[in-house]
PDB file of all heavy atoms in Angstrom:
ATOM      1  N   PRO H 127      -3.955  20.883 -90.699  1.00 96.00           N
ATOM      2  CA  PRO H 127      -2.809  20.212 -91.325  1.00 96.00           C
ATOM      3  C   PRO H 127      -3.019  18.692 -91.395  1.00 96.00           C
ATOM      4  O   PRO H 127      -3.417  18.061 -90.411  1.00 96.00           O
ATOM      5  CB  PRO H 127      -1.638  20.564 -90.404  1.00 96.00           C
ATOM      6  CG  PRO H 127      -2.057  21.848 -89.749  1.00 96.00           C
ATOM      7  CD  PRO H 127      -3.550  21.759 -89.601  1.00 96.00           C
ATOM      8  N   VAL H 128      -2.781  18.133 -92.559  1.00 96.00           N
ATOM      9  CA  VAL H 128      -2.971  16.698 -92.800  1.00 96.00           C
ATOM     10  C   VAL H 128      -2.099  15.889 -91.842  1.00 96.00           C
ATOM     11  O   VAL H 128      -0.940  16.217 -91.605  1.00 96.00           O
ATOM     12  CB  VAL H 128      -2.632  16.356 -94.270  1.00 96.00           C
ATOM     13  CG1 VAL H 128      -2.620  14.853 -94.489  1.00 96.00           C
ATOM     14  CG2 VAL H 128      -3.608  17.043 -95.205  1.00 96.00           C
ATOM     15  N   GLY H 129      -2.696  14.836 -91.277  1.00 96.00           N
ATOM     16  CA  GLY H 129      -1.958  13.932 -90.398  1.00 96.00           C
ATOM     17  C   GLY H 129      -1.882  14.377 -88.956  1.00 96.00           C
ATOM     18  O   GLY H 129      -1.195  13.743 -88.155  1.00 96.00           O
ATOM     19  N   THR H 130      -2.606  15.458 -88.602  1.00 97.00           N
ATOM     20  CA  THR H 130      -2.591  15.903 -87.204  1.00 97.00           C
ATOM     21  C   THR H 130      -3.931  15.589 -86.543  1.00 97.00           C
ATOM     22  O   THR H 130      -4.961  15.471 -87.210  1.00 97.00           O
ATOM     23  CB  THR H 130      -2.312  17.417 -87.097  1.00 97.00           C
ATOM     24  OG1 THR H 130      -3.348  18.149 -87.769  1.00 97.00           O
ATOM     25  CG2 THR H 130      -0.953  17.770 -87.673  1.00 97.00           C
ATOM     26  N   VAL H 131      -3.906  15.466 -85.236  1.00 98.00           N
ATOM     27  CA  VAL H 131      -5.122  15.164 -84.474  1.00 98.00           C
ATOM     28  C   VAL H 131      -6.024  16.398 -84.477  1.00 98.00           C
ATOM     29  O   VAL H 131      -5.586  17.507 -84.160  1.00 98.00           O
ATOM     30  CB  VAL H 131      -4.776  14.757 -83.025  1.00 98.00           C
ATOM     31  CG1 VAL H 131      -6.048  14.537 -82.203  1.00 98.00           C
ATOM     32  CG2 VAL H 131      -3.905  13.507 -83.005  1.00 98.00           C
ATOM     33  N   ILE H 132      -7.297  16.175 -84.864  1.00 97.00           N
ATOM     34  CA  ILE H 132      -8.256  17.285 -84.887  1.00 97.00           C
ATOM     35  C   ILE H 132      -9.339  17.148 -83.822  1.00 97.00           C
ATOM     36  O   ILE H 132      -9.998  18.122 -83.482  1.00 97.00           O
ATOM     37  CB  ILE H 132      -8.902  17.439 -86.280  1.00 97.00           C
ATOM     38  CG1 ILE H 132      -9.581  16.140 -86.728  1.00 97.00           C
ATOM     39  CG2 ILE H 132      -7.863  17.904 -87.288  1.00 97.00           C
ATOM     40  CD1 ILE H 132     -10.361  16.252 -88.035  1.00 97.00           C
ATOM     41  N   SER H 133      -9.509  15.941 -83.288  1.00 97.00           N
ATOM     42  CA  SER H 133     -10.443  15.770 -82.170  1.00 97.00           C
ATOM     43  C   SER H 133     -10.070  14.518 -81.393  1.00 97.00           C
ATOM     44  O   SER H 133      -9.328  13.668 -81.892  1.00 97.00           O
ATOM     45  CB  SER H 133     -11.899  15.711 -82.642  1.00 97.00           C
ATOM     46  OG  SER H 133     -12.149  14.522 -83.335  1.00 97.00           O
ATOM     47  N   GLN H 134     -10.594  14.446 -80.158  1.00 98.00           N
ATOM     48  CA  GLN H 134     -10.258  13.328 -79.281  1.00 98.00           C
ATOM     49  C   GLN H 134     -11.430  12.991 -78.391  1.00 98.00           C
ATOM     50  O   GLN H 134     -12.269  13.831 -78.094  1.00 98.00           O
ATOM     51  CB  GLN H 134      -9.033  13.661 -78.441  1.00 98.00           C
ATOM     52  CG  GLN H 134      -9.237  14.806 -77.455  1.00 98.00           C
ATOM     53  CD  GLN H 134      -7.962  15.173 -76.728  1.00 98.00           C
ATOM     54  OE1 GLN H 134      -7.011  15.624 -77.332  1.00 98.00           O
ATOM     55  NE2 GLN H 134      -7.957  14.945 -75.424  1.00 98.00           N
ATOM     56  N   SER H 135     -11.462  11.727 -77.995  1.00 97.00           N
ATOM     57  CA  SER H 135     -12.466  11.256 -77.054  1.00 97.00           C
ATOM     58  C   SER H 135     -11.788  10.212 -76.175  1.00 97.00           C
ATOM     59  O   SER H 135     -11.145   9.305 -76.700  1.00 97.00           O
ATOM     60  CB  SER H 135     -13.642  10.639 -77.803  1.00 97.00           C
ATOM     61  OG  SER H 135     -14.574  10.100 -76.887  1.00 97.00           O
ATOM     62  N   PRO H 136     -11.912  10.368 -74.861  1.00 97.00           N
ATOM     63  CA  PRO H 136     -12.546  11.417 -74.080  1.00 97.00           C
ATOM     64  C   PRO H 136     -11.833  12.767 -74.269  1.00 97.00           C
ATOM     65  O   PRO H 136     -10.722  12.831 -74.751  1.00 97.00           O
ATOM     66  CB  PRO H 136     -12.417  10.941 -72.636  1.00 97.00           C
ATOM     67  CG  PRO H 136     -12.059   9.494 -72.702  1.00 97.00           C
ATOM     68  CD  PRO H 136     -11.374   9.302 -74.016  1.00 97.00           C
ATOM     69  N   VAL H 137     -12.510  13.806 -73.804  1.00 97.00           N
ATOM     70  CA  VAL H 137     -12.006  15.167 -73.975  1.00 97.00           C
ATOM     71  C   VAL H 137     -10.819  15.452 -73.056  1.00 97.00           C
ATOM     72  O   VAL H 137     -10.622  14.767 -72.046  1.00 97.00           O
ATOM     73  CB  VAL H 137     -13.124  16.205 -73.719  1.00 97.00           C
ATOM     74  CG1 VAL H 137     -14.235  16.063 -74.746  1.00 97.00           C
ATOM     75  CG2 VAL H 137     -13.663  16.102 -72.306  1.00 97.00           C
ATOM     76  N   LEU H 138     -10.084  16.457 -73.417  1.00 96.00           N
ATOM     77  CA  LEU H 138      -8.929  16.922 -72.649  1.00 96.00           C
ATOM     78  C   LEU H 138      -9.306  17.131 -71.184  1.00 96.00           C
ATOM     79  O   LEU H 138     -10.321  17.757 -70.874  1.00 96.00           O
ATOM     80  CB  LEU H 138      -8.425  18.235 -73.246  1.00 96.00           C
ATOM     81  CG  LEU H 138      -7.489  19.085 -72.404  1.00 96.00           C
ATOM     82  CD1 LEU H 138      -6.164  18.386 -72.212  1.00 96.00           C
ATOM     83  CD2 LEU H 138      -7.269  20.441 -73.052  1.00 96.00           C
ATOM     84  N   GLY H 139      -8.484  16.601 -70.276  1.00 95.00           N
ATOM     85  CA  GLY H 139      -8.655  16.827 -68.844  1.00 95.00           C
ATOM     86  C   GLY H 139      -9.591  15.868 -68.138  1.00 95.00           C
ATOM     87  O   GLY H 139      -9.593  15.795 -66.911  1.00 95.00           O
ATOM     88  N   LYS H 140     -10.411  15.123 -68.886  1.00 96.00           N
ATOM     89  CA  LYS H 140     -11.333  14.176 -68.239  1.00 96.00           C
ATOM     90  C   LYS H 140     -10.509  13.077 -67.571  1.00 96.00           C
ATOM     91  O   LYS H 140      -9.567  12.547 -68.145  1.00 96.00           O
ATOM     92  CB  LYS H 140     -12.287  13.576 -69.260  1.00 96.00           C
ATOM     93  CG  LYS H 140     -13.279  12.618 -68.622  1.00 96.00           C
ATOM     94  CD  LYS H 140     -14.387  12.237 -69.547  1.00 96.00           C
ATOM     95  CE  LYS H 140     -15.267  11.247 -68.824  1.00 96.00           C
ATOM     96  NZ  LYS H 140     -16.651  11.470 -68.985  1.00 96.00           N
ATOM     97  N   VAL H 141     -10.856  12.741 -66.340  1.00 94.00           N
ATOM     98  CA  VAL H 141     -10.144  11.695 -65.604  1.00 94.00           C
ATOM     99  C   VAL H 141     -10.823  10.358 -65.903  1.00 94.00           C
ATOM    100  O   VAL H 141     -12.017  10.198 -65.667  1.00 94.00           O
ATOM    101  CB  VAL H 141     -10.140  11.990 -64.085  1.00 94.00           C
ATOM    102  CG1 VAL H 141      -9.478  10.857 -63.322  1.00 94.00           C
ATOM    103  CG2 VAL H 141      -9.431  13.309 -63.814  1.00 94.00           C
ATOM    104  N   VAL H 142     -10.024   9.443 -66.460  1.00 96.00           N
ATOM    105  CA  VAL H 142     -10.535   8.120 -66.848  1.00 96.00           C
ATOM    106  C   VAL H 142      -9.535   7.047 -66.436  1.00 96.00           C
ATOM    107  O   VAL H 142      -8.377   7.342 -66.135  1.00 96.00           O
ATOM    108  CB  VAL H 142     -10.796   8.033 -68.371  1.00 96.00           C
ATOM    109  CG1 VAL H 142     -11.856   9.026 -68.815  1.00 96.00           C
ATOM    110  CG2 VAL H 142      -9.513   8.238 -69.162  1.00 96.00           C
ATOM    111  N   LYS H 143      -9.975   5.809 -66.447  1.00 95.00           N
ATOM    112  CA  LYS H 143      -9.079   4.687 -66.140  1.00 95.00           C
ATOM    113  C   LYS H 143      -7.975   4.641 -67.195  1.00 95.00           C
ATOM    114  O   LYS H 143      -8.229   4.870 -68.372  1.00 95.00           O
ATOM    115  CB  LYS H 143      -9.854   3.380 -66.106  1.00 95.00           C
ATOM    116  CG  LYS H 143     -10.850   3.321 -64.966  1.00 95.00           C
ATOM    117  CD  LYS H 143     -11.233   1.897 -64.660  1.00 95.00           C
ATOM    118  CE  LYS H 143     -12.139   1.829 -63.461  1.00 95.00           C
ATOM    119  NZ  LYS H 143     -11.539   2.240 -62.218  1.00 95.00           N
TER     120      LYS H 143
END
Side-chain angles (χ1 to χ4, degrees):
V128 171
T130 61
V131 176
I132 56 174
S133 70
Q134 65 185 64
S135 176
V137 296
L138 164 67
K140 181 168 178 137
V141 176
V142 298
K143 294 200 176 295

